[in-house]
């Protein structure tokens, strides 16, 4: 599994991590989801993304079960505070709840899930204090466009803003125009969420499917692996597909060493055009 520098953290992370939104919360499917996450960790997908929003804490608890037994320093566990909880006190309390759900002493990354009506200054002060208190190693934002991202970075002062987690898939490439370059310049990692359009890609009804299959055949890979390699081709972009079966996780991990050449990238670019720049798209 290829790894690269993750923003200003000073640590490298796998290019492919694991998302957890909508993980099954009970029964045999939950057991399989836990097996899948554990298999993904074994395969190097140690960046694990969750949020207090997912199942109102149930998914954090599931992730806590999944990571139990792994050496803590091999994991990179990320969670997010809901914008409605993002007052100073609310953020500190939400982080404590997430830690309890996950049964961890500290997070690796704690993010504001999307821009809040609460003053950004207040939330960033809380995130900074959580780093100073050792509750999280790093902090970031999610669903922030360029100006808001730079403002968050400014407000954090000495504490680095290490990432911005945003929507990015083959039919939603708007961030390539300004956000990815601005983030690179500011040493902020971009974490691409929903890389498969929540399961819509590769699909067989969209016109680019043939291109993905052709590129995949060249590398003895699958169209999904080609998608993940394409999305993470820039030096500061990572992705976190969500998969709740071992077979899916194994396929996704297989993208971690796939390097597309310029001709493949051009072919995918033509099949799934980036389009014009617009406001930041969110799910
Ligand atoms: P996604 O990763 O684009 O798609 C997930 C879907 O793809 C699931 O139905 C999954 O099925 C399927 N899938 C995954 N790997 C597969 C494979 N190898 N073969 C066939 N199907 C496969 O969608 P997402 O969950 O929206 O995004 C990923 C993660 O990003 C989330 O889980 C979450 O952690 C994060 N996220 C963050 C935000 C935000 O606002 N910050 C918003 C959305 C998502 P199975 O489950 O059956 O394996």
């Amino acid at each position: 599994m290829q790894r690269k520098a993750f923003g200003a953290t000073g640590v490298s992370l796998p290019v492919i991590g694991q998302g957890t939104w909508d993980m099954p919360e009970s029964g045999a499917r939950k057991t399989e989801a836990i097996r899948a996450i554990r298999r993904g960790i074994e395969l190097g997908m140690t960046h694990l993304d969750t949020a207090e929003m997912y199942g109102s804490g149930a998914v954090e608890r599931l992730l806590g079960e999944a990571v139990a037994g792994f050496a803590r320093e091999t994991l990179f566990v990320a969670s997010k505070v809901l914008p409605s909880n993002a007052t100073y006190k609310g953020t500190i309390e939400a982080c404590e709840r997430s830690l309890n759900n996950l049964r961890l002493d500290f997070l690796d990354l704690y993010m504001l899930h999307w821009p809040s009506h609460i003053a950004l200054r207040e939330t960033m002060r809380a995130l900074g204090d959580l780093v100073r208190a050792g509750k999280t190693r790093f902090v970031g934002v999610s669903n922030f466009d360029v100006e808001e991202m730079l403002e968050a970075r400014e407000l954090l002062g000495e504490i680095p803003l290490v990432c911005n987690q945003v929507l990015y898939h083959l039919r939603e490439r708007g961030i390539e125009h300004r956000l990815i370059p601005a983030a690179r310049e500011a040493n902020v990692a971009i974490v691409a969420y929903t890389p498969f359009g929540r399961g819509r890609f590769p699909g067989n009804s969209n016109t680019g499917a043939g291109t993905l299959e052709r590129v995949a055949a060249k590398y003895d890979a699958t169209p999904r692996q080609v998608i993940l390699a394409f999305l993470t081709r820039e030096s500061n972009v990572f992705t976190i597909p969500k998969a709740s079966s071992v077979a899916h996780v194994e396929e996704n991990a297989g993208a971690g060493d796939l390097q597309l050449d310029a001709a493949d990238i051009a072919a995918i670019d033509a099949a799934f055009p980036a389009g014009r720049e617009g406001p930041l798209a969110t799910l």
Side-chain angles (χ1 to χ4, degrees):
M1 169 69 58
Q2 191 197 326
R3 298 170 73 93
K4 53 194 186 187
F6 190 75
T9 58
V11 301
S12 67
L13 286 192
V15 288
I16 321 281
Q18 303 190 68
T20 61
W21 188 22
D22 261 358
M23 280 287 188
E25 291 164 29
S26 61
R29 292 188 60 234
K30 175 185 171 187
T31 309
E32 173 66 2
I34 289 175
R35 275 200 337 122
I37 295 170
R38 296 177 69 84
R39 179 73 182 129
I41 294 170
E42 286 164 11
L43 293 171
M45 296 198 290
T46 51
H47 174 182
L48 305 159
D49 181 74
T50 191
E52 63 166 336
M53 186 187 99
Y54 303 165
S56 301
V59 173
E60 288 181 325
R61 289 191 287 277
L62 177 153
L63 184 59
E65 276 184 59
V67 301
F70 285 96
R72 180 66 186 87
E73 66 277 11
T74 62
L75 306 171
F76 191 90
V77 181
S79 192
K80 316 182 195 80
V81 58
L82 273 169
S84 52
N85 286 337
T87 57
Y88 180 85
K89 187 164 169 280
T91 304
I92 305 284
E93 289 172 355
C95 182
E96 207 54 60
R97 274 197 307 277
S98 290
L99 288 171
N100 283 335
N101 286 335
L102 287 156
R103 285 185 265 157
L104 295 177
D105 298 330
F106 64 91
L107 292 168
D108 294 282
L109 174 63
Y110 198 44
M111 289 166 275
L112 173 58
H113 207 148
W114 62 88
S116 169
H117 64 281
I118 294 155
L120 187 59
R121 176 179 299 280
E122 188 172 336
T123 313
M124 292 302 121
R125 188 163 61 86
L127 290 184
D129 282 352
L130 285 168
V131 173
R132 283 181 276 268
K135 298 290 181 182
T136 185
R137 292 169 67 207
F138 304 108
V139 292
V141 289
S142 177
N143 296 300
F144 272 46
D145 212 338
V146 176
E147 286 69 26
E148 306 163 302
M149 175 183 80
L150 296 177
E151 188 189 351
R153 179 169 173 265
E154 185 77 25
L155 289 169
L156 280 168
E158 63 183 18
I159 303 287
L161 178 84
V162 303
C163 78
N164 187 6
Q165 186 181 119
V166 289
L167 179 67
Y168 185 38
H169 58 64
L170 291 179
R171 295 265 182 239
E172 200 56 77
R173 296 178 52 198
I175 63 168
E176 292 178 20
H177 297 286
R178 258 186 355 120
L179 188 61
I180 292 179
R184 190 187 308 114
E185 176 102 343
N187 204 11
V188 172
I190 292 290
V191 178
Y193 73 69
T194 312
F196 299 136
R198 306 214 77 199
R200 271 189 297 141
F201 302 117
N204 42 25
S205 59
N206 70 64
T207 52
T211 303
L212 294 175
E213 274 161 24
R214 271 193 299 283
V215 174
K218 181 171 153 187
Y219 296 97
D220 202 12
T222 68
R224 278 192 184 79
Q225 291 171 335
V226 169
I227 290 173
L228 297 177
F230 179 81
L231 295 177
T232 55
R233 70 199 182 284
E234 296 286 339
S235 61
N236 64 328
V237 184
F238 299 74
T239 192
I240 45 166
K242 171 258 183 179
S244 38
S245 74
V246 168
H248 289 175
V249 157
E250 287 178 345
E251 179 178 355
N252 299 345
D257 289 311
L258 180 59
Q259 295 274 9
L260 303 178
D261 66 26
D264 306 325
I265 290 172
I268 297 167
D269 183 54
F272 298 90
R276 286 213 304 269
E277 191 185 349
L280 180 69
T282 57
L283 210 60

